[in-house]
Amino acid sequence: QAEPAANVTIALSSSDTSEGTVSPANLIFTTAKWNVPRTVTVRGVDDAVLDGDQIFRIHAGPATSPDPAYQGLSGPDVIITNADNETPHVDVSPAFGIVTTEASGAPVPLTISLSTMPTGDISLSVLSSNTAEGTVFPTSIVFTTGNWDTPQTVMVTGVDDAVADGARPYEIVVH
């Protein structure tokens, strides 16, 4: 454009800092270097929410300057897309190798967690494939937007079935 009569400061901001940030927060154009290009860095934010690609804007302005020709001017918004990278899944730990016994009846913990924040409540049933060999408690858990990142524990307990049948495999089913 034209050389300013005084320094011009242009504020930069993101319309959604949970999706993207911008730096620096201000660009200063001096009367000596008013026509030197400036570098602005925009960074996407990994938000752990399965929300799809999100559009946000970088606002430029309004400018502040003692020069009335530039005071209050705003540049065009820059439209940015933050590509979502979350893949939702349920994690169960340990995934295999749990051993329960009929003799002790000591429960074994099974930890269940989510990889991303859900948009609503997620109810999971936890069941034994053979309740004559082993049971679980509780048999259902609920993850919400408030507790999704806190693993929940269910207890798996061997059952004394009074049958001399040796070690019998069974599965814990989470769905």
Side-chain angles (χ1 to χ4, degrees):
Q1 306 285 19
E3 180 179 344
N7 290 353
V8 178
T9 301
I10 299 174
L12 300 174
S13 63
S14 170
S15 64
D16 187 347
T17 56
S18 70
E19 291 295 337
T21 61
V22 61
S23 65
N26 294 295
L27 296 176
I28 301 172
F29 294 89
T30 65
T31 56
K33 294 185 178 184
W34 64 275
N35 59 350
V36 175
R38 304 302 193 283
T39 299
V40 174
T41 302
V42 177
R43 286 196 168 84
V45 174
D46 189 3
D47 57 12
V49 178
L50 181 64
D51 56 358
D53 295 351
Q54 294 294 306
I55 294 173
F56 65 100
R57 296 173 184 269
I58 299 300
H59 304 293
T64 57
S65 176
D67 183 338
Y70 284 93
Q71 175 60 32
L73 290 181
S74 292
D77 286 355
V78 177
I79 299 171
I80 309 284
T81 300
N82 188 27
D84 197 11
N85 67 348
E86 277 67 43
T87 303
H89 59 276
V90 176
D91 293 316
V92 179
S93 180
F96 58 91
I98 293 176
V99 176
T100 59
T101 68
E102 293 182 10
S104 70
V108 177
L110 184 67
T111 304
I112 302 171
S113 60
L114 300 181
S115 63
T116 61
M117 183 172 76
T119 57
D121 291 356
I122 303 293
S123 297
L124 297 173
S125 296
V126 185
L127 307 168
S128 169
S129 66
N130 185 346
T131 56
E133 294 295 331
T135 61
V136 295
F137 183 82
T139 58
S140 66
I141 57 175
V142 176
F143 288 98
T144 67
T145 56
N147 75 353
W148 74 271
D149 56 349
T150 302
Q152 295 190 38
T153 302
V154 298
M155 301 307 284
V156 181
T157 305
V159 174
D160 186 356
D161 59 8
V163 176
D165 55 1
R168 307 293 297 178
Y170 61 98
E171 295 179 345
I172 302 303
V173 181
V174 179
H175 65 92

